[in-house]
């Protein structure tokens, strides 16, 4: 689906869901940013106390399903944030990646942080 669904398609699906429930009234930048943080922490919680090797090995079945759901929640809140605040996601990502190229040039950061 990633190769056929546009960002605008996703924005439309999320917006329709929000409108059908009259939730836009609750979607302030503060509330949506907090919801994003909560969902990110729920994704992190799935891997708490696991080693890197355990996390990689277990990324199938139930853990993969749960991680996929948490990632979807993160994406949904991110899209809702963009919708409420007039952010063009493709432009934002493209612009940020250009800034990252300057901040982290490949010749200096390849293979290290």
């Amino acid at each position: 689906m990633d190769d056929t669904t546009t960002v605008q398609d996703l924005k439309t699906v999320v917006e329709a869901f929000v409108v059908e429930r009259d939730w836009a009234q609750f979607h302030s930048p503060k509330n949506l940013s907090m919801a994003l943080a909560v969902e990110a922490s729920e994704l992190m919680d799935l891997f708490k106390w696991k080693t890197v090797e355990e996390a990689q090995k277990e990324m199938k079945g139930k853990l993969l399903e749960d991680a996929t759901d948490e990632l979807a929640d993160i994406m949904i809140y991110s899209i809702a944030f963009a919708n409420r605040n007039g952010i063009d996601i493709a432009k934002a990502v493209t612009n940020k990646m250009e800034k990252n190229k300057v901040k982290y040039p490949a010749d200096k950061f390849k293979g290290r942080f």
Side-chain angles (χ1 to χ4, degrees), residues 43-107:
L43 177 60
M44 290 186 298
D45 192 53
L46 296 174
F47 300 97
K48 184 172 56 182
W49 312 121
K50 296 182 188 303
T51 65
V52 171
E53 294 78 19
E54 289 169 337
Q56 289 173 329
K57 182 180 174 188
E58 294 175 26
M59 271 302 284
K60 58 184 180 250
K62 178 83 167 97
L63 182 59
L64 177 58
E65 181 182 333
D66 291 345
T68 300
D69 284 347
E70 296 306 336
L71 179 61
D73 287 339
I74 292 164
M75 297 298 297
I76 290 163
Y77 278 123
S78 296
I79 292 167
F81 188 93
N83 283 345
R84 285 286 75 71
N85 295 286
I87 296 170
D88 181 311
I89 295 171
K91 184 176 179 181
V93 170
T94 301
N95 288 347
K96 182 61 178 176
M97 290 306 298
E98 289 303 317
K99 290 177 183 178
N100 286 344
K101 287 179 186 177
V102 172
K103 187 174 182 179
Y104 305 106
D107 61 331

